Amino acid sequence: MARGTMSAMPVKHLLILGGTTEARELARRVSLMMEKKVRVTTSLAGRRPTTPSLAGEVRIGGFGGIEGMKTYIAENAVDVVIDATHPFADQISDHANAACAGVPVPRLQVMRPGWRMPPGATVLEVDGLDGGAAILPRVARRVFLTTGQGGLEAFSGLDDLWFLVRLMDAPKDPPPLTDFQLITGVPPFTIQGEQSLLTEHDIDTLVTKDSGGEGTEAKITAAAEAGVTIILIRRPAAEPGPLAETVDEAFAWVEDHV
Ligand code: NAP
C-alpha cells in the first residue's frame, strides 16, 4: 500500500423508509456518526406538499409495490433497510417485509409504543376507522377528529355530529363531512394548546389513532383532564421479524448490520 493511503472500506447503503420523527432522527444520527461507513437514503411517500430537510439523500414516491421495491433495492445496491414508517402505514411495512425477504437484505421495523392512557380517562378502543365511525353517534355530539387526511372518508354520513378536523396540511378538497371546522397544525402540540381547543369548541369526544409518540400525546392528556371521551383506534400488528421501539435500538441494529 502506498504511504499515506488507506484501503477504502466499502460504503454500505442504508435505506430508511420514513415519514416519522424516528426516521428523521435515525437518518441524522447515522449520517453524523457513521459518515464514512454508511450512505443513507430516506424514502418518503410524497404525501406532503413540501419535502422536509433530512440528513443524507432523499427519494420520493411509491416504489410500485413489492416488486418495485425489490428492483429499487437491487439497482441501488441497498445493503440494509430500516422500516421506520408510521405505525398505521401497514401496507408499506408489509411490502418492505416481503421485498427484503425476497432480495434478500436484512430489515428492521421501528415501531414506537402506543400511548399509555392516563388513569381516569374514558377510553373506547375500536378496530379501524370504521369502528370509530360506527360508535360515534352513540357517544358523541362534538368531535375532535385527528385521524389524518386519508381517514376522513370513514366519517362521512355522520350528519348529526359536528367535527373539528385537524390536518397537517390544508387539503385539496374539503373534508367529506356535513358540519365541520378545519384547522391545520404540525406537531409537537402542547397540553395547554390542546386544552384550549377542547374548551373553545366544546368538544365531548376525541377520535385518534393509537399512534404513540411524544409530539401528539398532549391531546390524550388534555382530553383525559377535560373528561372528553377518547375513541382510540387500535394499531395494526407489526410485521414478523426484528422490531425496535426506539431510535437507540434501531441505531444499535444498524451498527450490527453494516
Ligand atoms: P401505506 O398505506 O402503508 O402505503 C401506501 C403506499 O404508499 C405504499 O404501498 C407505497 O407505494 C407508498 N408509500 C408509503 N410510505 C412510503 C415511503 N416511506 N416511501 C415510499 N413509498 C411509500 O402508507 P400511508 O398510511 O398512506 O402513509 C404514507 C406515509 O406517510 C408513510 O411513509 C408514513 O410513514 C407516513 N405517515 C403515515 C401516517 C398514517 O397515519 N398512516 C401518519 C404519519 C405519517 P408503492 O406500493 O407504490 O411502493
Side-chain angles (χ1 to χ4, degrees):
M1 195 194 307
R3 201 180 242 222
T5 63
M6 283 172 55
S7 65
M9 277 224 309
V11 171
K12 298 288 179 122
H13 190 186
L14 166 66
L15 173 65
I16 300 175
L17 304 173
T20 58
T21 316
E22 288 80 3
R24 169 198 296 268
E25 174 58 15
L26 186 65
R28 189 190 72 78
R29 246 192 248 185
V30 173
S31 299
L32 196 70
M33 295 167 79
M34 298 188 205
E35 190 192 359
K36 300 222 161 59
K37 206 171 159 192
V38 183
R39 170 188 162 206
V40 182
T41 302
T42 300
S43 173
L44 301 173
R47 301 274 193 271
R48 302 204 60 199
T50 53
T51 305
S53 117
L54 296 169
E57 297 161 48
V58 177
R59 70 160 297 284
I60 298 189
F63 294 96
I66 295 166
E67 288 309 313
M69 197 187 291
K70 281 164 75 174
T71 304
Y72 178 90
I73 289 170
E75 286 182 352
N76 293 277
V78 171
D79 297 292
V80 278
V81 174
I82 298 273
D83 170 12
T85 55
H86 190 269
F88 279 79
D90 53 348
Q91 183 167 309
I92 186 74
S93 293
D94 172 65
H95 289 185
N97 178 32
C100 293
V103 174
V105 288
R107 172 202 55 93
L108 171 77
Q109 183 171 11
V110 184
M111 204 189 245
R112 58 192 178 220
W115 287 307
R116 274 217 245 148
M117 291 296 124
T122 305
V123 183
L124 302 171
E125 284 193 50
V126 296
D127 287 320
L129 297 166
D130 291 342
I135 205 171
L136 266 185
R138 277 183 270 150
V139 299
R141 192 175 52 86
R142 295 178 67 82
V143 182
F144 185 19
L145 188 57
T146 63
T147 49
Q149 190 156 354
L152 296 177
E153 194 58 46
F155 299 90
S156 65
L158 299 178
D159 298 339
D160 294 335
L161 302 179
W162 183 86
F163 291 92
L164 176 66
V165 179
R166 181 167 67 197
L167 300 174
M168 299 242 282
D169 305 294
K172 287 199 198 85
D173 301 312
L177 304 169
T178 306
D179 206 4
F180 68 90
Q181 182 176 334
L182 177 70
I183 55 173
T184 55
V186 177
F189 300 110
T190 64
I191 295 173
Q192 199 181 12
E194 302 294 54
Q195 281 168 335
S196 302
L197 277 182
L198 297 179
T199 307
E200 185 187 334
H201 297 283
D202 193 19
I203 298 296
D204 55 47
T205 307
L206 164 72
V207 183
T208 176
K209 295 173 176 172
D210 186 13
S211 300
E214 288 174 11
T216 52
E217 190 171 13
K219 63 187 169 189
I220 301 290
T221 311
E225 282 176 4
V228 165
T229 301
I230 301 169
I231 296 190
L232 188 70
I233 298 170
R234 288 190 190 99
R235 45 175 55 195
E239 293 299 318
L243 190 64
E245 287 194 342
T246 64
V247 174
D248 283 351
E249 289 169 24
F251 186 81
W253 186 90
V254 173
E255 281 184 311
D256 285 348
H257 287 81
V258 294

mmCIF file of all heavy atoms in Angstrom, residues 16-20 43-45 47 59-66 69 84-86 88-93 95 112 147 168 209 211, ligand 1:
data_model
loop_
_atom_site.group_PDB
_atom_site.id
_atom_site.type_symbol
_atom_site.label_atom_id
_atom_site.label_comp_id
_atom_site.label_asym_id
_atom_site.label_seq_id
_atom_site.Cartn_x
_atom_site.Cartn_y
_atom_site.Cartn_z
ATOM 1 N N ILE A 16 -33.817 3.977 4.571
ATOM 2 C CA ILE A 16 -34.785 4.186 5.656
ATOM 3 C C ILE A 16 -36.129 4.520 5.022
ATOM 4 O O ILE A 16 -36.233 5.480 4.253
ATOM 5 C CB ILE A 16 -34.357 5.351 6.587
ATOM 6 C CG1 ILE A 16 -32.994 5.072 7.234
ATOM 7 C CG2 ILE A 16 -35.410 5.585 7.672
ATOM 8 C CD1 ILE A 16 -32.457 6.244 8.067
ATOM 9 N N LEU A 17 -37.128 3.720 5.326
ATOM 10 C CA LEU A 17 -38.490 4.059 4.889
ATOM 11 C C LEU A 17 -39.035 5.009 5.943
ATOM 12 O O LEU A 17 -39.143 4.638 7.124
ATOM 13 C CB LEU A 17 -39.337 2.795 4.766
ATOM 14 C CG LEU A 17 -38.741 1.732 3.833
ATOM 15 C CD1 LEU A 17 -39.547 0.440 3.894
ATOM 16 C CD2 LEU A 17 -38.669 2.247 2.398
ATOM 17 N N GLY A 18 -39.337 6.231 5.531
ATOM 18 C CA GLY A 18 -39.526 7.304 6.506
ATOM 19 C C GLY A 18 -40.939 7.840 6.597
ATOM 20 O O GLY A 18 -41.921 7.172 6.306
ATOM 21 N N GLY A 19 -40.996 9.105 7.030
ATOM 22 C CA GLY A 19 -42.287 9.765 7.238
ATOM 23 C C GLY A 19 -42.596 9.932 8.714
ATOM 24 O O GLY A 19 -43.730 10.247 9.074
ATOM 25 N N THR A 20 -41.595 9.698 9.569
ATOM 26 C CA THR A 20 -41.795 9.814 11.016
ATOM 27 C C THR A 20 -40.612 10.555 11.646
ATOM 28 O O THR A 20 -39.550 10.689 11.027
ATOM 29 C CB THR A 20 -41.849 8.415 11.681
ATOM 30 O OG1 THR A 20 -40.623 7.734 11.367
ATOM 31 C CG2 THR A 20 -43.019 7.599 11.192
ATOM 32 N N SER A 43 -36.591 7.237 2.183
ATOM 33 C CA SER A 43 -37.671 7.208 1.202
ATOM 34 C C SER A 43 -38.947 7.770 1.816
ATOM 35 O O SER A 43 -39.348 7.367 2.912
ATOM 36 C CB SER A 43 -37.915 5.760 0.755
ATOM 37 O OG SER A 43 -39.057 5.718 -0.073
ATOM 38 N N LEU A 44 -39.569 8.703 1.102
ATOM 39 C CA LEU A 44 -40.833 9.296 1.554
ATOM 40 C C LEU A 44 -41.919 9.011 0.531
ATOM 41 O O LEU A 44 -41.644 8.956 -0.678
ATOM 42 C CB LEU A 44 -40.668 10.812 1.715
ATOM 43 C CG LEU A 44 -39.600 11.283 2.710
ATOM 44 C CD1 LEU A 44 -39.430 12.794 2.622
ATOM 45 C CD2 LEU A 44 -39.968 10.859 4.130
ATOM 46 N N ALA A 45 -43.147 8.881 1.030
ATOM 47 C CA ALA A 45 -44.263 8.607 0.110
ATOM 48 C C ALA A 45 -44.579 9.819 -0.757
ATOM 49 O O ALA A 45 -45.118 9.686 -1.853
ATOM 50 C CB ALA A 45 -45.490 8.195 0.913
ATOM 51 N N ARG A 47 -46.562 12.441 0.333
ATOM 52 C CA ARG A 47 -47.942 12.885 0.609
ATOM 53 C C ARG A 47 -48.000 14.383 0.929
ATOM 54 O O ARG A 47 -49.002 15.026 0.714
ATOM 55 C CB ARG A 47 -48.517 12.135 1.811
ATOM 56 C CG ARG A 47 -48.577 10.638 1.668
ATOM 57 C CD ARG A 47 -49.831 10.176 0.970
ATOM 58 N NE ARG A 47 -49.973 8.745 1.143
ATOM 59 C CZ ARG A 47 -49.466 7.848 0.324
ATOM 60 N NH1 ARG A 47 -48.821 8.223 -0.757
ATOM 61 N NH2 ARG A 47 -49.613 6.555 0.563
ATOM 62 N N ARG A 59 -35.354 10.074 -1.463
ATOM 63 C CA ARG A 59 -36.107 9.726 -2.679
ATOM 64 C C ARG A 59 -37.594 9.830 -2.329
ATOM 65 O O ARG A 59 -37.984 9.610 -1.185
ATOM 66 C CB ARG A 59 -35.744 8.330 -3.199
ATOM 67 C CG ARG A 59 -36.251 7.208 -2.314
ATOM 68 C CD ARG A 59 -36.344 5.867 -2.982
ATOM 69 N NE ARG A 59 -37.275 5.814 -4.083
ATOM 70 C CZ ARG A 59 -38.604 5.762 -3.967
ATOM 71 N NH1 ARG A 59 -39.180 5.798 -2.773
ATOM 72 N NH2 ARG A 59 -39.371 5.681 -5.027
ATOM 73 N N ILE A 60 -38.386 10.165 -3.339
ATOM 74 C CA ILE A 60 -39.797 10.440 -3.063
ATOM 75 C C ILE A 60 -40.712 9.653 -3.991
ATOM 76 O O ILE A 60 -40.452 9.566 -5.198
ATOM 77 C CB ILE A 60 -40.076 11.944 -3.209
ATOM 78 C CG1 ILE A 60 -39.230 12.672 -2.164
ATOM 79 C CG2 ILE A 60 -41.550 12.268 -3.014
ATOM 80 C CD1 ILE A 60 -39.506 14.102 -1.994
ATOM 81 N N GLY A 61 -41.778 9.110 -3.406
ATOM 82 C CA GLY A 61 -42.813 8.443 -4.192
ATOM 83 C C GLY A 61 -42.798 6.943 -3.978
ATOM 84 O O GLY A 61 -41.799 6.362 -3.521
ATOM 85 N N GLY A 62 -43.934 6.310 -4.295
ATOM 86 C CA GLY A 62 -44.056 4.860 -4.146
ATOM 87 C C GLY A 62 -43.051 4.118 -5.013
ATOM 88 O O GLY A 62 -42.549 4.646 -6.013
ATOM 89 N N PHE A 63 -42.768 2.875 -4.616
ATOM 90 C CA PHE A 63 -41.814 2.047 -5.369
ATOM 91 C C PHE A 63 -42.513 1.281 -6.490
ATOM 92 O O PHE A 63 -41.866 0.768 -7.396
ATOM 93 C CB PHE A 63 -41.157 1.028 -4.430
ATOM 94 C CG PHE A 63 -40.288 1.651 -3.379
ATOM 95 C CD1 PHE A 63 -40.789 1.905 -2.106
ATOM 96 C CD2 PHE A 63 -38.971 1.978 -3.646
ATOM 97 C CE1 PHE A 63 -39.994 2.478 -1.128
ATOM 98 C CE2 PHE A 63 -38.167 2.542 -2.679
ATOM 99 C CZ PHE A 63 -38.680 2.800 -1.414
ATOM 100 N N GLY A 64 -43.853 1.177 -6.372
ATOM 101 C CA GLY A 64 -44.586 0.327 -7.300
ATOM 102 C C GLY A 64 -44.701 -1.086 -6.740
ATOM 103 O O GLY A 64 -44.356 -2.059 -7.429
ATOM 104 N N GLY A 65 -45.158 -1.173 -5.482
ATOM 105 C CA GLY A 65 -45.415 -2.480 -4.874
ATOM 106 C C GLY A 65 -44.141 -3.216 -4.487
ATOM 107 O O GLY A 65 -43.039 -2.656 -4.498
ATOM 108 N N ILE A 66 -44.338 -4.495 -4.144
ATOM 109 C CA ILE A 66 -43.223 -5.312 -3.632
ATOM 110 C C ILE A 66 -42.135 -5.473 -4.702
ATOM 111 O O ILE A 66 -40.936 -5.315 -4.431
ATOM 112 C CB ILE A 66 -43.757 -6.693 -3.187
ATOM 113 C CG1 ILE A 66 -44.699 -6.511 -1.995
ATOM 114 C CG2 ILE A 66 -42.606 -7.633 -2.821
ATOM 115 C CD1 ILE A 66 -45.546 -7.721 -1.661
ATOM 116 N N MET A 69 -40.114 -2.378 -5.108
ATOM 117 C CA MET A 69 -39.145 -2.158 -4.021
ATOM 118 C C MET A 69 -37.950 -3.092 -4.179
ATOM 119 O O MET A 69 -36.796 -2.694 -3.950
ATOM 120 C CB MET A 69 -39.808 -2.356 -2.654
ATOM 121 C CG MET A 69 -38.964 -1.750 -1.532
ATOM 122 S SD MET A 69 -39.562 -2.091 0.134
ATOM 123 C CE MET A 69 -41.059 -1.155 0.191
ATOM 124 N N ALA A 84 -39.030 2.575 9.146
ATOM 125 C CA ALA A 84 -39.399 3.471 10.255
ATOM 126 C C ALA A 84 -40.642 4.254 9.876
ATOM 127 O O ALA A 84 -40.791 5.422 10.236
ATOM 128 C CB ALA A 84 -38.240 4.399 10.595
ATOM 129 N N THR A 85 -41.526 3.636 9.134
ATOM 130 C CA THR A 85 -42.766 4.313 8.750
ATOM 131 C C THR A 85 -43.724 4.355 9.943
ATOM 132 O O THR A 85 -43.514 3.698 10.964
ATOM 133 C CB THR A 85 -43.442 3.607 7.557
ATOM 134 O OG1 THR A 85 -43.638 2.234 7.888
ATOM 135 C CG2 THR A 85 -42.594 3.730 6.307
ATOM 136 N N HIS A 86 -44.790 5.097 9.778
ATOM 137 C CA HIS A 86 -45.772 5.297 10.852
ATOM 138 C C HIS A 86 -46.423 3.952 11.237
ATOM 139 O O HIS A 86 -46.642 3.109 10.371
ATOM 140 C CB HIS A 86 -46.833 6.286 10.338
ATOM 141 C CG HIS A 86 -47.766 6.775 11.385
ATOM 142 N ND1 HIS A 86 -48.953 6.139 11.674
ATOM 143 C CD2 HIS A 86 -47.688 7.835 12.217
ATOM 144 C CE1 HIS A 86 -49.580 6.792 12.637
ATOM 145 N NE2 HIS A 86 -48.829 7.832 12.987
ATOM 146 N N PHE A 88 -49.313 3.121 11.606
ATOM 147 C CA PHE A 88 -50.538 2.807 10.845
ATOM 148 C C PHE A 88 -50.286 2.678 9.337
ATOM 149 O O PHE A 88 -51.220 2.431 8.578
ATOM 150 C CB PHE A 88 -51.614 3.871 11.126
ATOM 151 C CG PHE A 88 -52.338 3.612 12.428
ATOM 152 C CD1 PHE A 88 -51.756 3.953 13.638
ATOM 153 C CD2 PHE A 88 -53.573 2.986 12.448
ATOM 154 C CE1 PHE A 88 -52.394 3.694 14.844
ATOM 155 C CE2 PHE A 88 -54.231 2.720 13.641
ATOM 156 C CZ PHE A 88 -53.634 3.072 14.851
ATOM 157 N N ALA A 89 -49.051 2.852 8.902
ATOM 158 C CA ALA A 89 -48.730 2.697 7.473
ATOM 159 C C ALA A 89 -48.403 1.222 7.227
ATOM 160 O O ALA A 89 -47.254 0.836 7.030
ATOM 161 C CB ALA A 89 -47.563 3.608 7.092
ATOM 162 N N ASP A 90 -49.443 0.389 7.257
ATOM 163 C CA ASP A 90 -49.179 -1.052 7.270
ATOM 164 C C ASP A 90 -48.920 -1.649 5.899
ATOM 165 O O ASP A 90 -48.312 -2.709 5.784
ATOM 166 C CB ASP A 90 -50.289 -1.819 8.004
ATOM 167 C CG ASP A 90 -51.685 -1.525 7.495
ATOM 168 O OD1 ASP A 90 -51.853 -0.555 6.725
ATOM 169 O OD2 ASP A 90 -52.610 -2.254 7.872
ATOM 170 N N GLN A 91 -49.333 -0.947 4.840
ATOM 171 C CA GLN A 91 -49.087 -1.518 3.504
ATOM 172 C C GLN A 91 -47.605 -1.449 3.145
ATOM 173 O O GLN A 91 -47.022 -2.436 2.691
ATOM 174 C CB GLN A 91 -49.914 -0.772 2.449
ATOM 175 C CG GLN A 91 -49.734 -1.372 1.067
ATOM 176 C CD GLN A 91 -50.775 -0.862 0.090
ATOM 177 O OE1 GLN A 91 -51.967 -0.894 0.367
ATOM 178 N NE2 GLN A 91 -50.337 -0.393 -1.061
ATOM 179 N N ILE A 92 -46.997 -0.296 3.386
ATOM 180 C CA ILE A 92 -45.576 -0.161 3.046
ATOM 181 C C ILE A 92 -44.736 -1.104 3.926
ATOM 182 O O ILE A 92 -43.742 -1.677 3.459
ATOM 183 C CB ILE A 92 -45.096 1.315 3.162
ATOM 184 C CG1 ILE A 92 -43.665 1.473 2.660
ATOM 185 C CG2 ILE A 92 -45.215 1.856 4.564
ATOM 186 C CD1 ILE A 92 -43.508 1.420 1.189
ATOM 187 N N SER A 93 -45.170 -1.319 5.169
ATOM 188 C CA SER A 93 -44.422 -2.226 6.053
ATOM 189 C C SER A 93 -44.535 -3.670 5.573
ATOM 190 O O SER A 93 -43.554 -4.422 5.599
ATOM 191 C CB SER A 93 -44.931 -2.112 7.497
ATOM 192 O OG SER A 93 -44.615 -0.832 8.001
ATOM 193 N N HIS A 95 -45.019 -4.525 2.473
ATOM 194 C CA HIS A 95 -44.203 -4.593 1.256
ATOM 195 C C HIS A 95 -42.717 -4.704 1.596
ATOM 196 O O HIS A 95 -41.981 -5.452 0.955
ATOM 197 C CB HIS A 95 -44.435 -3.347 0.386
ATOM 198 C CG HIS A 95 -45.789 -3.320 -0.252
ATOM 199 N ND1 HIS A 95 -46.174 -2.351 -1.150
ATOM 200 C CD2 HIS A 95 -46.857 -4.139 -0.131
ATOM 201 C CE1 HIS A 95 -47.414 -2.571 -1.544
ATOM 202 N NE2 HIS A 95 -47.851 -3.642 -0.939
ATOM 203 N N ARG A 112 -42.748 2.730 17.392
ATOM 204 C CA ARG A 112 -42.785 3.281 18.751
ATOM 205 C C ARG A 112 -43.993 2.696 19.494
ATOM 206 O O ARG A 112 -44.999 2.355 18.867
ATOM 207 C CB ARG A 112 -42.883 4.799 18.684
ATOM 208 C CG ARG A 112 -44.090 5.284 17.929
ATOM 209 C CD ARG A 112 -43.990 6.775 17.643
ATOM 210 N NE ARG A 112 -45.113 7.238 16.874
ATOM 211 C CZ ARG A 112 -45.027 8.116 15.883
ATOM 212 N NH1 ARG A 112 -43.860 8.597 15.507
ATOM 213 N NH2 ARG A 112 -46.099 8.519 15.241
ATOM 214 N N THR A 147 -57.505 11.885 12.804
ATOM 215 C CA THR A 147 -57.043 10.629 12.189
ATOM 216 C C THR A 147 -56.334 10.846 10.859
ATOM 217 O O THR A 147 -55.969 9.876 10.197
ATOM 218 C CB THR A 147 -58.236 9.672 11.992
ATOM 219 O OG1 THR A 147 -59.293 10.405 11.360
ATOM 220 C CG2 THR A 147 -58.737 9.133 13.305
ATOM 221 N N MET A 168 -52.410 18.126 8.980
ATOM 222 C CA MET A 168 -51.075 18.761 8.935
ATOM 223 C C MET A 168 -51.034 19.826 7.842
ATOM 224 O O MET A 168 -50.413 20.871 7.984
ATOM 225 C CB MET A 168 -50.016 17.705 8.640
ATOM 226 C CG MET A 168 -49.953 16.643 9.702
ATOM 227 S SD MET A 168 -48.371 16.586 10.514
ATOM 228 C CE MET A 168 -47.394 15.739 9.339
ATOM 229 N N LYS A 209 -55.956 7.805 16.241
ATOM 230 C CA LYS A 209 -55.238 6.533 16.103
ATOM 231 C C LYS A 209 -54.311 6.390 17.313
ATOM 232 O O LYS A 209 -53.839 7.405 17.836
ATOM 233 C CB LYS A 209 -54.385 6.546 14.833
ATOM 234 C CG LYS A 209 -55.180 6.609 13.550
ATOM 235 C CD LYS A 209 -54.230 6.795 12.370
ATOM 236 C CE LYS A 209 -54.977 6.757 11.056
ATOM 237 N NZ LYS A 209 -54.115 7.134 9.913
ATOM 238 N N SER A 211 -51.290 6.255 17.739
ATOM 239 C CA SER A 211 -50.030 6.444 17.015
ATOM 240 C C SER A 211 -48.819 6.373 17.936
ATOM 241 O O SER A 211 -47.731 5.991 17.507
ATOM 242 C CB SER A 211 -50.033 7.809 16.307
ATOM 243 O OG SER A 211 -51.095 7.859 15.397
HETATM 244 P P1 NAP B 1 -49.378 2.893 3.369
HETATM 245 O O1 NAP B 1 -50.856 2.847 3.257
HETATM 246 O O2 NAP B 1 -48.723 1.877 4.212
HETATM 247 O O3 NAP B 1 -48.697 2.820 1.930
HETATM 248 C C1 NAP B 1 -49.417 3.022 0.723
HETATM 249 C C2 NAP B 1 -48.404 3.122 -0.403
HETATM 250 O O4 NAP B 1 -47.708 4.364 -0.332
HETATM 251 C C3 NAP B 1 -47.307 2.074 -0.348
HETATM 252 O O5 NAP B 1 -47.733 0.843 -0.912
HETATM 253 C C4 NAP B 1 -46.208 2.751 -1.139
HETATM 254 O O6 NAP B 1 -46.482 2.737 -2.524
HETATM 255 C C5 NAP B 1 -46.353 4.194 -0.714
HETATM 256 N N1 NAP B 1 -45.506 4.519 0.442
HETATM 257 C C6 NAP B 1 -45.855 4.623 1.745
HETATM 258 N N2 NAP B 1 -44.824 5.008 2.500
HETATM 259 C C7 NAP B 1 -43.776 5.158 1.654
HETATM 260 C C8 NAP B 1 -42.420 5.543 1.833
HETATM 261 N N3 NAP B 1 -41.935 5.882 3.044
HETATM 262 N N4 NAP B 1 -41.611 5.581 0.727
HETATM 263 C C9 NAP B 1 -42.105 5.260 -0.500
HETATM 264 N N5 NAP B 1 -43.385 4.895 -0.728
HETATM 265 C C10 NAP B 1 -44.203 4.842 0.338
HETATM 266 O O7 NAP B 1 -48.921 4.348 3.873
HETATM 267 P P2 NAP B 1 -49.784 5.596 4.398
HETATM 268 O O8 NAP B 1 -50.514 5.199 5.635
HETATM 269 O O9 NAP B 1 -50.526 6.190 3.235
HETATM 270 O O10 NAP B 1 -48.612 6.581 4.825
HETATM 271 C C11 NAP B 1 -47.807 7.204 3.854
HETATM 272 C C12 NAP B 1 -46.564 7.743 4.525
HETATM 273 O O11 NAP B 1 -46.945 8.718 5.493
HETATM 274 C C13 NAP B 1 -45.752 6.688 5.244
HETATM 275 O O12 NAP B 1 -44.426 6.775 4.785
HETATM 276 C C14 NAP B 1 -45.869 7.018 6.711
HETATM 277 O O13 NAP B 1 -44.651 6.843 7.416
HETATM 278 C C15 NAP B 1 -46.328 8.461 6.720
HETATM 279 N N6 NAP B 1 -47.328 8.716 7.775
HETATM 280 C C16 NAP B 1 -48.460 7.968 7.836
HETATM 281 C C17 NAP B 1 -49.381 8.201 8.826
HETATM 282 C C18 NAP B 1 -50.631 7.356 8.963
HETATM 283 O O14 NAP B 1 -51.431 7.607 9.884
HETATM 284 N N7 NAP B 1 -50.864 6.367 8.104
HETATM 285 C C19 NAP B 1 -49.161 9.225 9.761
HETATM 286 C C20 NAP B 1 -47.983 9.991 9.669
HETATM 287 C C21 NAP B 1 -47.077 9.727 8.660
HETATM 288 P P3 NAP B 1 -45.900 1.595 -3.513
HETATM 289 O O15 NAP B 1 -46.721 0.369 -3.261
HETATM 290 O O16 NAP B 1 -46.063 2.192 -4.869
HETATM 291 O O17 NAP B 1 -44.455 1.394 -3.137
#
